[in-house]
Every structure is written in structure tokens, then in C-alpha cells.
Amino acid sequence: MDKNAKIYVAGHRGLVGSALIRSLTQKGYNNLITRSHAELDLTNHTAVKEFFATEKPEYVLLAAAKVGGIYANNTYPAEFIHENLAIQTNVIHQSYVNGVKRLLFLGSSCIYPRDCPQPIKEEYLLTGPLEATNRPYALAKIAGIEMCWSYNRQYGTQFLAAMPTNLYGPGDNYHPENSHVIPALIRKFHEAKIDNRSEVVVWGTGSPMREFLYNQDMADACVFLMQLEDDLFSKCLGSNDSHAESFQPPLVNIGSGSDITIRELAEKIGEVVGYQGNISFDSTKPDGTLRKLMDSSKIFNLGHVNQFSLESGLTNTYNDFKSIHTQKL
Ligand code: GFB
């Protein structure tokens, strides 16, 4: 990508999108296009069509999505499938119509079957039933991957899907119910510390395992992929042969390479926040998938290296939480 290339970051105010802007700016890209939700509703076909026809971006990073944790996915399934299908259909199709050179479509590790062998390789896609709590979201994202694949096959586009593991970091959503586990627990532990409460209740049994990646590492990995030389980028696009014996979707996993239990995570967050009380578990709340550690060797073998440990990432995120949210609580 040329430093002056016109790059559209969809979802630039989100957890990944905001980190993408930082990463691209830091690497010298100076022609970034953004639109807030109020300026451009990506579920509106006509608005997206007009935006692409006017702006003609050369590269697209599709980080706009309806996202949330286990409770939000389970409670608003219609919104998760409808909004995600609409956003990605409009952006991917208009990217094709307007000759976008490369597009990166972001999803999530929940696209993989619930009971996958671990660590999860890209080719395990569509090999088994999905986890029920986030199936509508996962199916929308799988449709997006298939759309990238189909357009590459029929139109010769260069559309790649990147599937991050569970993400966290500054700029996250700290809502008590709709958020993911890290921002939710940061808030719970912080409030318990401030109120001198002796117990924090963590959802589920504490035994599920999760792999976590800091949002800046995710953004740097995305920019790394977009900057690959043509031959390496083409390899990431997998196989365009629909009759190929090996199943190779245009898919790259982006993870940290290790996972921990929710119990261990809660203890770590308690330490970062400086909470002295007890931790208990509410097993009436869903656990979700028991384990979803991804095999990220594809991107690691290309030379990408993550920079942030879980400890340093959690500390940065807690500082972000305090700076932005303490006043409002
Ligand atoms: O982060 P989370 O909602 O995402 O939950 P998933 C991870 C684990 O943390 C689950 C437990 O086992 C939860 O039961 N947990 C414990 C909590 N306490 C809390 C809490 O206070 N809040 C939350 N949210 N969880 C999401 C999917 O699944 O992962 C999305 O729903 C997406 O579609 C995302 O794929 C990456 O890993 O279970």
C-alpha cells in the first residue's frame, strides 16, 4: 500500500477501528477516510453505494460490526444477524463495484465449530455445529467470509477475512451486561473496590478458557496483512478452486497463542485493579464455548509479532477505564 493510498476504515470509532487508525497513522498512511455512524449508516444500501461512488477508496478495512459479549449475543440475536449481514453485504459488494484493490473483512473466532480440535486451524471452518449463544453473529460472519471467497473466485478480487480471538483494550465497551468479559470484569472489580464490597460475582463456572489479544496488536496484524507483497497476500487468499480437495478459505487467524481460564482471568483483573475481596461464580449464567484457542501460525510464520502481554494490556485497559469512565460511574 502506497503511503498516499486512499484507505477507508469502516468502524473507526470501535475497539479495532480506533486502533487501526492509530496503527495506520503511525506507519505514515496519510489519506484515511472515515465516517461516523451518524454520517453513514452502513446498513443503508443506497447510502453506502453513494459513499463508495463518491470517495472511491483503494483499500478497505471492514471493522464495522454489531458486537457484544455472551449476554448481548444471546439477548439480541435478530439485531446481530441482521445488522452484520447488512453492513458486510453493502461494504463488500460496493468494494467490488468500485474496484477496491484489497479488502480486509474482520470477524471473530466464534465462526469455528463449538467442539473444534485445539488449536483451531483456518480449515476447521464449517466442520461442525456452532456454539448456540452466538450462532446468529457467527453465521453472519461466515456468510461474509463466503462472500469474500465467492467474489475472489468470480470477479478476481483480493478480499481477505481476518478472524481475531477475543479482543480487549482501550476504547472498549464497559457496559455491565452487554460487554465482553474483560471490560465487564474491570468495571465490576473497580466498583467493588470503590464501594468496599467483599465479593465480586463472575458469570459461569470459571472453567471456560479464552485466548485474549490486545486491540493494538490486532490492528498492527491487520496492517501487516494489508502491506504484504502480492505473492504472500495471494497465498493468504487460499484456493479459488471450488473443487479443490483441500478446503482453503481466504482466512487468517489472529491470536496471541495462549489461553487462560475465566477464573485465572478474574484473579489477574482483581490484581490489576487492586481489589482485596473474594471472587465467586454464578453457574446459572452461561459459560459459552468451553475452549477456542486459535492456531495463528499462518500469520506468525509470515513474520507478524505481537507486542503486548496480557498483564501490560490489562493495565493499559484499566487506566483507560479510569480516565474515561470513573467520572461517569
Ligand atoms: O467475553 P464473553 O462475553 O465472550 O464471555 P464469549 C467469555 C466468558 O466469560 C464466558 C464469562 O464464559 C462468560 O460466561 N464471564 C464471566 C463473563 N463474567 C462475565 C461478565 O461479567 N461479562 C461477560 N461478558 N462474560 C463472545 C461472543 O463469546 O465472544 C461473540 O458472544 C464474539 O460473538 C466474542 O465472538 C469474541 O467468548 O463467550
Side-chain angles (χ1 to χ4, degrees):
M1 280 192 304
D2 197 298
K3 297 290 176 189
N4 299 317
K6 211 167 186 186
I7 304 170
Y8 171 44
V9 179
H12 72 288
R13 289 186 172 165
L15 180 66
V16 180
S18 57
L20 280 171
I21 297 289
R22 285 195 293 277
S23 185
L24 287 163
T25 308
Q26 194 223 333
K27 289 176 175 61
Y29 294 97
N30 55 41
N31 197 0
L32 309 182
I33 316 169
T34 58
R35 289 288 185 281
S36 67
H37 194 142
E39 291 165 340
L40 176 62
D41 175 2
L42 291 173
T43 66
N44 181 329
H45 167 76
T46 310
V48 176
K49 188 175 170 188
E50 282 169 9
F51 165 75
F52 269 82
T54 310
E55 288 293 346
K56 293 275 181 199
E58 295 172 78
Y59 296 89
V60 171
L61 291 137
L62 178 43
K66 166 93 179 163
V67 297
I70 193 165
Y71 174 84
N73 268 269
N74 221 0
T75 311
Y76 312 108
E79 291 173 39
F80 274 81
I81 192 160
H82 166 233
E83 289 182 32
N84 285 305
L85 282 173
I87 291 168
Q88 68 203 36
T89 300
N90 289 335
V91 174
I92 294 171
H93 184 67
Q94 290 308 321
S95 293
Y96 152 63
V97 169
N98 290 279
V100 163
K101 291 177 187 161
R102 283 183 184 177
L103 172 142
L104 194 68
F105 169 64
L106 303 188
S108 157
S109 58
C110 66
I111 57 156
Y112 292 111
R114 185 192 55 223
D115 302 316
C116 243
Q118 311 280 321
I120 306 171
K121 293 181 193 295
E122 285 86 352
E123 60 262 35
Y124 297 168
L125 184 71
L126 292 171
T127 54
L130 298 164
E131 155 62 28
T133 50
N134 51 34
R135 194 173 57 229
Y137 175 81
L139 278 169
K141 291 295 180 181
I142 292 169
I145 298 166
E146 189 64 55
M147 203 168 163
C148 290
W149 206 358
S150 302
Y151 278 55
N152 292 349
R153 201 156 84 216
Q154 186 173 345
Y155 303 131
T157 47
Q158 303 239 309
F159 295 170
L160 177 63
M163 293 301 125
T165 188
N166 287 41
L167 299 172
Y168 72 101
D172 213 333
N173 164 22
Y174 299 96
H175 190 278
E177 285 170 341
N178 294 335
S179 57
H180 289 103
V181 61
I182 288 184
L185 292 187
I186 284 181
R187 179 172 179 156
K188 279 186 191 172
F189 280 101
H190 177 82
E191 291 179 345
K193 183 179 88 168
I194 298 298
D195 298 344
N196 277 320
R197 273 187 270 125
S198 60
E199 185 181 56
V200 165
V201 180
V202 174
W203 294 351
T205 60
S207 57
M209 300 194 73
R210 290 292 183 274
E211 177 190 19
F212 295 103
L213 185 70
Y214 191 61
N215 64 343
Q216 201 58 53
D217 278 333
M218 172 59 191
D220 289 345
C222 292
V223 177
F224 172 86
L225 289 172
M226 291 296 272
Q227 288 178 319
L228 284 174
E229 297 295 330
D230 283 343
D231 56 334
L232 293 177
F233 192 83
S234 296
K235 271 191 193 156
C236 293
L237 294 177
S239 167
N240 276 344
D241 178 0
S242 59
H243 302 293
E245 281 188 4
S246 66
F247 181 79
Q248 293 176 50
L251 191 54
V252 178
N253 288 343
I254 306 181
S256 61
S258 63
D259 57 355
I260 62 169
T261 64
I262 295 300
R263 177 185 294 274
E264 288 165 330
L265 174 74
E267 287 165 0
K268 264 188 204 296
I269 293 177
E271 276 170 36
V272 167
V273 170
Y275 166 76
Q276 308 284 343
N278 299 318
I279 301 173
S280 67
F281 292 89
D282 177 1
S283 57
T284 65
K285 295 281 195 302
D287 272 339
T289 312
L290 287 184
R291 196 173 183 210
K292 47 177 172 177
L293 176 66
M294 296 203 303
D295 182 334
S296 303
S297 50
K298 200 168 175 179
I299 191 163
F300 293 152
N301 289 342
L302 285 166
H304 172 69
V305 180
N306 291 318
Q307 304 295 330
F308 292 85
S309 66
L310 183 56
E311 288 70 20
S312 63
L314 287 176
T315 303
N316 291 351
T317 310
Y318 182 45
N319 287 337
D320 171 70
F321 171 81
K322 282 190 292 187
S323 69
I324 302 171
H325 295 267
T326 306
Q327 302 306 321
K328 297 185 200 160
L329 294 176

